[in-house]
Amino acid sequence: MHKLMIKYLFIVIASCCFLNAAAQTNNAWIQQRIDSLTTAAISIPGIVIGTINKEERKYYYSGVANKSTKIAFDSVTQLEIGSITKTFTAYILSSILQEKKIADTSSIGAYLPDSVSQNKSVSNIRFIELLNHTAGLPRIPDNMGTPSNLLQPYMGYGSSQLFQFLLSYKIDTSHKVNYSNLGVGLAGVLAERISQKSYDQLLKQYITGPAQMKHTGLKAAPNQKISIGYFDETISTYWDMAILQAAGAIKSDVYDMLNYLEFIINKKESSIIKNITTPTATINKRLQVAKGWHILNGANNQVIIWHNGGTYGFSTFCGLHLESGKAVFLAINAYNKNQIADGLGVEILSKMLKEN
């Protein structure tokens, strides 16, 4: 999970390069491109892509989901989506706040443990600020310590450590965008506390149930093909994000992720989708932040809604254009390949938008 400004910088560059690309109705170039990436000497074991274009779905696979067994990807191969999880959390929390008639501009203090709410610096944070990264919280809390397994940086970090950190932390009140796994992880904790349900229950209630995402959850679905993620040449186990699971712990597959994007597109006129895709903070004239989602203002006033994700085993991207109903999801089963995933994801979606 990389710092937000790094992500934004590359998306700006990518959009400048690709948003004016010539239309190509023959998508053979996608397969050629990913085949060239998985055969190049850049440590990409495999790539899986799904697109929605005028309700037509297409899938593209290259390389392998497991280097040892040479098993290839298919549409239901399990993988980590990383920080794309934050868009799920934004939908869940916004739905709960709407149902409970709690304004997203309300302070979170009333929903924290009494001991933590005594820290006015933290209790005065507003819900919206957790979802658009303006709460003044750091990317991760500084009391996580050194994990026993360096490839599991969040494992074992529980509620007691989280609340201990929040009890004494002094908020940066500049309200600048500062990408925070801690902030969105806390948003998930608050969703649980307000609803009195687990994040897993909320995920099923609000998204994976209605969107028919049968293989999506906090753990890899049983009896499904599993993609191995790689940290360089080392096998990276799927992350256990403990109390901060709402920031990046979801496992899914490309079929389910297209169901998710289609779910959002089909509900584009709903108050929740309008709420979470409306810009609430500005980075620059091209880039804004909504709730959970990022907004790219492209050529010809085309607005691309997107998010990417990175764990120690996967680099992912998803983007959609609500008006046309076009969308893309892409995953690479390798760490730190977000520049490639982001660039290719934007290029694919941009070329689809050029088509009639």
Side-chain angles (χ1 to χ4, degrees), residues 5-17:
M5 293 308 295
I6 296 175
K7 293 181 178 182
Y8 279 143
L9 177 61
F10 184 74
I11 288 292
V12 170
I13 295 170
S15 64
C16 289
C17 292

Side-chain angles (χ1 to χ4, degrees), residues 86-104 127 131 187 190-192 194-195 197 201-208 210 260 263-264 267 270-277 291:
K86 292 178 173 67
T87 67
F88 289 68
T89 301
Y91 187 95
I92 290 168
L93 179 57
S94 296
S95 297
I96 292 170
L97 293 178
Q98 185 182 84
E99 291 168 7
K100 300 291 186 181
K101 295 181 170 55
I102 302 170
D104 60 15
F127 288 102
L131 297 178
L190 291 168
E192 291 181 318
I194 294 169
S195 67
K197 295 180 180 179
Q201 290 174 313
L202 295 172
L203 188 60
K204 293 173 183 175
Q205 175 182 344
Y206 288 103
I207 302 177
T208 61
Y260 175 56
F263 171 75
I264 293 168
K267 292 174 69 68
S270 71
S271 59
I272 295 297
I273 296 301
K274 288 182 177 180
N275 181 279
I276 65 175
T277 59
K291 295 177 187 172

Side-chain angles (χ1 to χ4, degrees), residues 331-346:
I332 297 172
N333 57 335
Y335 166 68
N336 201 25
K337 303 301 179 186
N338 285 99
Q339 287 193 349
I340 294 171
D342 296 353
L344 184 54
V346 171

Side-chain angles (χ1 to χ4, degrees), residues 38-52:
T38 56
T39 56
I42 52 176
S43 301
I44 291 183
I47 303 177
V48 57
I49 299 172
T51 63
I52 302 172

